[in-house]
Amino acid sequence: VNTDGAIAVVTGGAEGIGRAIADHLLRSGASVVLADLDADRVHATVERLGFSQRSLAFVGDVSDEETLRRLLKETTDRFGPIDVFAANAGTGGLGGIHVLDEEWALAWNVNLMAHVRAVRLLIEGWLERGRGYFVATASAAGLLTQLDAAPYVVSKHAAVAFAEWVAITYGDRGVGVSCLCPMGVDTKMYHDAQQSVGAPGARAIAASGPILSADEVGRAVVEAITEERFLVLPHPEVAEYLRRKTNDYDRWLAGMRRLQARVK
Ligand SMILES: NC(=O)c1ccc[n+]([C@@H]2O[C@H](COP(=O)([O-])OP(=O)(O)OC[C@H]3O[C@@H](n4cnc5c(N)ncnc54)[C@H](O)[C@@H]3O)[C@@H](O)[C@H]2O)c1
């Protein structure tokens, strides 16, 4: 997809990876609506990015269907039909099976159902026009795993599965999909995880590979949209880890247990 002149929405756009995706889309010539829960920050970000004619801040919870409907309407009213929707807002958090049901529900709702609801609202228009592009921010945790982060891992696997499913179901009718699966990225979410005292999950992220800047990741996403490539792996080693996992599952599980013992 040519992003020059495209109309895009990026959720979780106030900071981190979402802000970087929005920045690269704007620099490539797209018009972008940045949607976020954090009103002050999303307005400040739109101002700071400096494309006032081609950008707009939207405040709301993008896992809520009515809010999503409003987001799509405001985008279309202002700029025209949406070409690219980047479902990037996500919720992190560490913990295993003792995480409260409310936190499992939050992870499921934001990391998966927000994607399902967005595609559900967009798909009819995309099929009528014969084009549309969906970007899912999942995680390397959605292809591999992440220690001490059960709701996160499960909901990110679901996000990858949903993105694959959309690509297969609608790919022959003009709908493209990219799925972003990074390891550690230098954002607020990453620093929050690092600060939870004694969390092996946070240490495991740091031990698994380099921490990339959000800017590098945003650039990789816009490249993948342009090339219409499904898997976006700003950490290329994730492809090798995935091969090892699928080549020999038991060996991969044993390796993950060794990593767990190391970071305890
Ligand atoms: N940082 C990493 O190491 C890393 C690695 C892999 C994947 N990811 C994924 O990247 C995405 C972006 O994370 P980030 O690292 O940039 O985090 P971040 O905390 O810097 O930014 C996330 C943004 O999403 C917003 N948000 C959260 N829930 C929302 C909701 N329901 N509605 C609207 N906005 C909402 C937050 O207000 C925040 O501005 C997430 O899906 C995350 O899981 C991050």
Side-chain angles (χ1 to χ4, degrees), residues 15-240:
E15 62 181 304
I17 295 170
R19 175 173 62 200
I21 295 173
D23 184 27
H24 282 277
L25 282 170
L26 285 164
R27 286 200 249 160
S28 74
S31 298
V32 182
V33 176
L34 290 77
D36 205 284
L37 274 177
D38 188 329
D40 290 345
R41 213 185 294 261
V42 73
H43 282 108
T45 295
V46 165
E47 192 158 322
R48 223 185 71 197
L49 292 177
F51 294 87
S52 57
Q53 299 303 307
R54 286 195 277 115
S55 58
L56 189 69
F58 177 93
V59 179
D61 175 355
V62 299
S63 67
D64 174 68
E65 181 148 348
E66 269 321 300
T67 308
L68 273 174
R69 232 183 263 281
R70 206 158 43 77
L71 167 62
L72 302 190
K73 184 175 184 322
E74 281 183 29
T75 306
T76 310
D77 288 352
R78 170 75 184 267
F79 296 118
I82 294 165
D83 300 299
V84 178
F85 188 96
N88 166 81
T91 162
L94 298 171
I97 49 175
H98 297 300
V99 165
L100 297 176
D101 279 5
E102 290 72 27
E103 282 183 57
W104 277 93
L106 179 71
W108 193 249
N109 207 33
V110 179
N111 295 345
L112 172 71
M113 290 312 295
H115 299 201
V116 175
R117 293 178 187 126
V119 171
R120 193 192 277 154
L121 293 172
L122 285 158
I123 197 70
E124 209 173 309
W126 282 352
L127 294 178
E128 268 166 29
R129 295 168 74 212
R131 67 194 167 91
Y133 208 91
F134 177 64
V135 181
T137 298
S139 168
L143 295 170
L144 304 163
T145 192
Q146 186 175 319
L147 299 177
D148 192 31
Y152 189 73
V153 163
V154 172
S155 60
K156 290 295 187 180
H157 271 262
V160 172
F162 180 67
E164 291 169 349
W165 186 89
V166 173
I168 293 165
T169 306
Y170 300 111
D172 287 339
R173 296 158 77 186
V175 176
V177 181
S178 291
C179 182
L180 170 63
C181 297
M183 295 198 288
V185 185
D186 187 3
T187 69
K188 182 170 173 299
M189 185 183 285
Y190 173 72
H191 289 284
D192 288 350
Q194 291 299 314
Q195 269 158 23
S196 30
V197 184
R203 284 197 293 280
I205 303 171
S208 301
I211 306 305
L212 300 183
S213 71
D215 182 68
E216 289 171 88
V217 174
R219 177 179 304 117
V221 169
V222 174
E223 263 171 28
I225 297 173
T226 308
E227 295 165 8
E228 302 188 22
R229 183 158 35 78
F230 181 79
L231 208 48
V232 191
L233 300 180
H235 297 81
E237 53 269 58
V238 171
E240 175 57 25

